[in-house]
Amino acid sequence: MKLSQKEALFASEVVTRFELYNSLFLTLPFYRVKHTGTLLPFFTSHCEESVKQNLSPSDIIESFFGQYEQYVQTDDRVDLLFRFIQYIERQVVLFDAIEDAAFNKTTRHEENALPFLLQQAAVNPELKAAIRKKLENFSLRLVLTAHPTQFYPGRVLSIITDLTEAIKTNDINTIHLLLQQLGKTPFFNKNKPTPVNEAASLAWFLDSVFYHVVSKLQSEVENEFEGPVFTANQLIELGFWPGGDRDGNPNVTSQSTKEVSELLREILFRCYYRDFRVLKRRITFRGVEDHMARLQELFYQNSFTRVENPENLQGEILDRLEAIKGVLTRSHDGLFVNLVDDLIRKVKLFGCYFASLDIRQDSRVLRKTHECCRPELKKSFPEGYSDFTEEEKISKIAFDEDDISCDDFDSLSNDTLQTIRLMKRMQHAGGEKASHRFIISNCQRASDILQLINLFLWSGWKKDELKVDFVPLFETVQDLRAASQVMESLYTHPFYKEHLKNRGNKQVIMLGFSDSTKDGGYLMANWSIYKAKVELTSLARKYGVQLAFFDGRGGPPARGGGKTHRFYATMGREIANDHIQLTIQGQTISSQYGSYDNAHYNIEQMLNAGIISSLDKDDKNTLSAAQKSLIEGMATTSHAAFVALREHPLFLKYLEKFSPLKLLSHMNISSRPVKRSSGGELKLEDLRAISFVTSWSQLKQNIPGFYGVGSALKKAKEDGVWNEVQALYQTSGQFKTMMDNCMMSMSKADFRITTYLSEDPQFGDFWKGMKNEFDLTRSLLLELTGTSVLMEEYPVERRSIALREKIVLPLVVIQHFALQQLQKDTLSEEQRNIFGKLVIRTVYGIVNAGRNLA
């Protein structure tokens, strides 16, 4: 088959280079590395052939070692398997670096929409005016979250960065040295990270990538227009959750929040100091000495000394930089003004905080805290308040100011109030944007928001100085349905209306993709969120509220990931889209934002999506009533199929027995527990969505990313509306993106790994049911899209996925072999620990290779 130009370029720039540089591993001076590297291709081929024959993982491992007389002892076999894992982990890093090095050649070959759009605007005054109008009220907010699938620590990310640059120039000597460094560098932590450790790990991206890219992109867009564009907002905002997100994580305390806030400030000032040193080497003229000396003092002190009571220095820094710029312009022919402008732009963008530290807590904890406080304010709340209906509570809530003591409260309630007080201090140190959002998880009623406002007013905040946005988070299918009712109660509440007025009549609502998928399946989750956005937008417009949706998206399509920008580009006018806000989680951070080129491109895509959605004059993207009815029917069918699977008595048992779910808690990658509640039998509602999705991806079944879609398409065909579904795929960007993302998820599944379970006396029929739905979904998706293979429309991505899957196939086999061994009752405690470690180590490599599996 003849390769397309894109595929041929990928083959030469990525595949060939990987084969070349991969051979360098054999020359590294490590324990038996040549032996390991020589045997690994044979093991990989053996796994590929055995999987085709539907052999079980245990049979695959046994038959491989049966070919080698020196591997009779179990210890020798396990030792080699661990060495295979180490080798493959580093192969994945090499492949990442090679793909990143080729990024501008393989990806930029595609239409790079934002530059193309701005080029058109340069010769089209009407288009230019429309884009400018959009940008004046548009912003993109990217929020980095601490989820346990960002496996690469900063030391490895730095190697990947240097390796990428060396590969770009084919610097073999440097590549060889960096591969040696990679071989000596530990990938994982010996101990579980603290929330502050997690923050420090993610701060690497702020320092190394976002600091440069965000400023550069804002500059590039500004330069296309005459005069200031971003007067009411900044184009790109950064948010940060590590140290602030305490939902179900008892390890996050007000002290860790404080430390993270201070850490972000220090890292930011080091970035400023680094730029200032360049400035200082260039600006050696008279007339700026005092300003330069003071800036030197400010940047240095805040970079390397923990300031006891930090203050917001943004105003003074900008004043002095503007004064320096004035001297250069008047007295020195404007020499090096560009360097000053660059630093001014960065200080305006990042202030003294770098990224806004969001606070998040579950509504149940906030209700308990409110209950603890009420006895201290007997006059404000009548007897029996806890037993009131929602309407009665809303009518009785009083908004009195106080500053109550919480020393005798339980630890969670105490910490909640201490964090609320800390937010005020953070605003003093970094300005309002340092920490101005409190997100309420599991928000089910208006009183959840109003009672949280009480907690602020009882912790020293004043009504007219309450510079905080209260953000409800709706996640489950049921909560999404009730969201409009909750928000209408707030929009019509006198106090909340006044608060919104003080906040510029702006409301942020967060919608969670992960839990809605776990709750209702892939298609119903996406459709429920779409419907909720339409309803909430209509309601906000009715009450004159400027609404922004904050999407809690994970890495894989099952958690709202995939081709995200296409969702925002095709929203239609029924959905508020002036501001795009979303979380960046797990491996998505390093895969899409891990390098300057990647981050620049992916942020460009998001900016472009926000702009072009507003240029749709004919409103082609808004779904018609008939189209909505068609998707509603398919979502309902899909939901019924998924719920039937989820409620099957073997569902959780299967996941616990054949996936690494129970072992995820032993991985030293996150401060957050695998499930929300501690102890007791595992319940689906307590299981975190990320653990749920990760477990299915390790099984190579990816159930949350497709299950029910085939049943929905089949029902549509039986109902005689197949032509309408095909037309919907061709005309609706939303539906097309849902289906394309579903195919991406399925491309990373491989049921052959677990085919042996079809004969299992307990789980055989259960496995066959999932496999049948997979086959049905694949068959009908191919028919729907008119293609012969999944992701045919995206050949480069499809090839990349296939290569990555080939690299990690041995890890998948090793993992399932180890899980099979752990089911034996005859194992000693030492053997259980060894096989458990085998499982855990394979999880890292599989997720890293998948890039958006969890």
Side-chain angles (χ1 to χ4, degrees), residues 648-853:
H648 193 289
L650 293 179
F651 184 74
L652 267 184
K653 292 179 182 177
Y654 178 90
L655 201 58
E656 284 188 282
K657 186 170 184 178
F658 298 113
S659 83
L661 176 62
K662 291 192 292 186
L663 292 167
L664 292 180
S665 61
H666 299 293
M667 299 176 72
N668 295 326
I669 55 174
S670 173
S671 66
R672 171 179 288 195
V674 170
K675 56 178 185 170
R676 285 184 167 87
S677 62
S678 58
E681 183 182 353
L682 178 65
K683 297 179 181 178
L684 185 60
E685 58 267 28
D686 291 331
L687 184 62
R688 291 193 176 280
I690 193 166
S691 305
F692 178 73
V693 173
T694 299
S695 298
W696 284 112
S697 72
Q698 297 291 310
L699 271 165
K700 306 310 291 180
Q701 292 175 354
N702 291 346
I703 292 297
F706 77 88
Y707 198 91
V709 173
S711 294
L713 294 174
K714 180 184 177 184
K715 179 72 162 50
K717 207 168 190 183
E718 292 171 347
D719 290 346
V721 293
W722 184 248
N723 289 339
E724 288 85 345
V725 176
Q726 287 181 312
L728 184 67
Y729 179 79
Q730 296 298 327
T731 58
S732 167
Q734 289 288 304
F735 185 69
K736 176 177 169 55
T737 305
M738 288 182 204
M739 296 300 101
D740 288 354
N741 279 348
C742 181
M743 287 190 284
M744 178 190 289
S745 185
M746 295 180 74
S747 295
K748 298 180 181 183
D750 189 349
F751 272 78
R752 298 176 306 169
I753 306 294
T754 50
T755 298
Y756 72 97
L757 292 176
S758 63
E759 305 300 324
D760 188 276
Q762 182 180 10
F763 294 98
D765 289 341
F766 182 75
W767 182 91
K768 289 174 185 175
M770 293 187 293
K771 177 63 163 57
N772 289 340
E773 181 69 18
F774 179 87
D775 291 340
L776 175 66
T777 305
R778 179 174 57 186
S779 172
L780 290 176
L781 280 174
L782 293 178
E783 184 177 348
L784 174 68
T785 58
T787 56
S788 57
V789 292
L790 295 174
M791 295 188 70
E792 187 175 304
E793 189 178 338
Y794 311 100
V796 170
E797 291 179 45
R798 178 167 54 84
R799 186 82 188 277
S800 175
I801 289 171
L803 285 168
R804 289 173 176 276
E805 291 299 307
K806 180 178 180 179
I807 291 170
V808 299
L809 177 62
L811 295 186
V812 178
V813 171
I814 291 170
Q815 180 186 111
H816 287 266
F817 159 72
L819 286 168
Q820 281 186 291
Q821 298 306 303
L822 287 170
Q823 292 171 24
K824 295 179 178 179
D825 297 328
T826 56
L827 292 182
S828 66
E829 192 63 31
E830 181 182 1
Q831 289 173 318
R832 289 197 171 279
N833 288 335
I834 290 172
F835 285 118
K837 287 178 181 178
L838 266 180
V839 172
I840 290 169
R841 283 296 298 274
T842 58
V843 171
Y844 295 121
I846 293 169
V847 172
N848 282 337
R851 288 207 153 185
N852 71 344
L853 281 182

Side-chain angles (χ1 to χ4, degrees), residues 509-546:
I509 296 175
M510 186 172 183
L511 303 175
F513 284 75
S514 299
D515 279 292
S516 55
T517 300
K518 190 184 78 171
D519 182 46
Y522 175 76
L523 191 54
M524 177 57 86
N526 278 275
W527 181 236
S528 295
I529 287 174
Y530 182 91
K531 287 195 301 179
K533 285 188 173 183
V534 171
E535 292 175 12
L536 290 166
T537 300
S538 175
L539 185 70
R541 289 170 179 169
K542 173 183 174 181
Y543 289 101
V545 174
Q546 298 178 48

